[in-house]
Amino acid sequence: MTDKVTDKVIEGKNIALTIGRQNILDIDYFSVRQGETVALLGPNGSGKSTLLKVLMLLQRPSAGELFFKGEKVDWNRPLIYRRRMAMVFQEPLLLDTSVYKNVEAGLKIRGVSKNLIPHIVTTWLIRLGIDHLARRPVRFLSGGESQRVSIARALALEPEVLFLDEPFSALDAPTRVALTVELAGIIKDTGITDVFVTHDYSEITIMAETVTVLDRGRVVQCAFAREVMARPANRTVASLVGVENAIPGLVVDRSGCGLTVQAGPHLLQAPAVTDLTSEKVYILLRPDEVKVSSGTSAGDNTIRGTISELLPQGYQFKAVVDCGFSLKVILSPDQVIDGGVTKGSEVFVSFSAGKLHLIDRV
């Protein structure tokens, strides 16, 4: 034991995991502060779920140190730490019994007083909006209802850390959004420390304060959610957070308070960037940050182009504009259905300099 006071609930140092000849994890440092919500983001096979298993003491790393509230984890006694945690999986792992008994089960296992259990279970069934399902067998539940039971069961344990491994990925879009918003509110109200794995960057904007991005077992960016969304560290991170435009460019002027960048036949204005190591860059820009019109408009960057592709995307449309380079943009239904924008239409695209983010092109 240690008397060291720390705001870090979980802290990992030099965590490495090798299976056979394959390096699965190689993480210099990872931490979660008290009351913080951290999202783990990364492409398939990046090590997100494996890192979660290490943090939950379900997978012992090949090397490194793990600390829980300042105390170095004793891997010979993992249960004493696991009992202070709870987990929600992608697929609800429910007992073949009633909703009530599923939420009750974990409390019984952890030795909670029989007199307290009914109140705790009922409280969380009401909080998750499933109290009317208390006596229903879980095999008759919908996917969203099942996941609500799984979340209620985890939160009823009052864990010091809640882990979630893509808990909403199997749900339909409306259910996923509603449950994400609801869970974010619960986490905020309770102040619980939370680590969740996701592929969906929209969940980050709702739930996370901090984002750790993994690629091939390494941390490639760790920052506040808004920083990762606005200033992705590389093209991998950009693709994960919805920045679909990565336009090759060349910095031709660094004078003044911004940069002038050559992209195809056009000169674009961009913010000054201090950490570029060469003149060759990628210009990162979100499709929804581009305005499309039939005429010129005032702005830092306005150029002419032709719609080369046009595809529906939900209630909107995604188009590719050929303007000397390919630029993905979002169009409203009014522009396409009522406005007459079709494949082959000539348009003007505009975007402010402040919406561009430049990274090295290596």
Side-chain angles (χ1 to χ4, degrees), residues 75-94:
W75 284 94
N76 295 315
R77 300 188 300 153
L79 191 59
I80 64 173
Y81 307 101
R82 290 181 196 160
R83 292 177 66 88
R84 300 162 71 179
M85 307 171 178
M87 176 71 175
V88 177
F89 296 94
Q90 180 177 342
E91 296 291 339
L93 302 177
L94 302 178

Side-chain angles (χ1 to χ4, degrees), residues 328-351:
K328 293 179 181 177
V329 303
I330 299 295
L331 299 173
S332 70
D334 290 343
Q335 288 177 290
V336 177
I337 299 171
D338 301 325
V341 175
T342 62
K343 186 175 180 178
S345 295
E346 289 194 358
V347 295
F348 286 89
V349 295
S350 61
F351 41 90

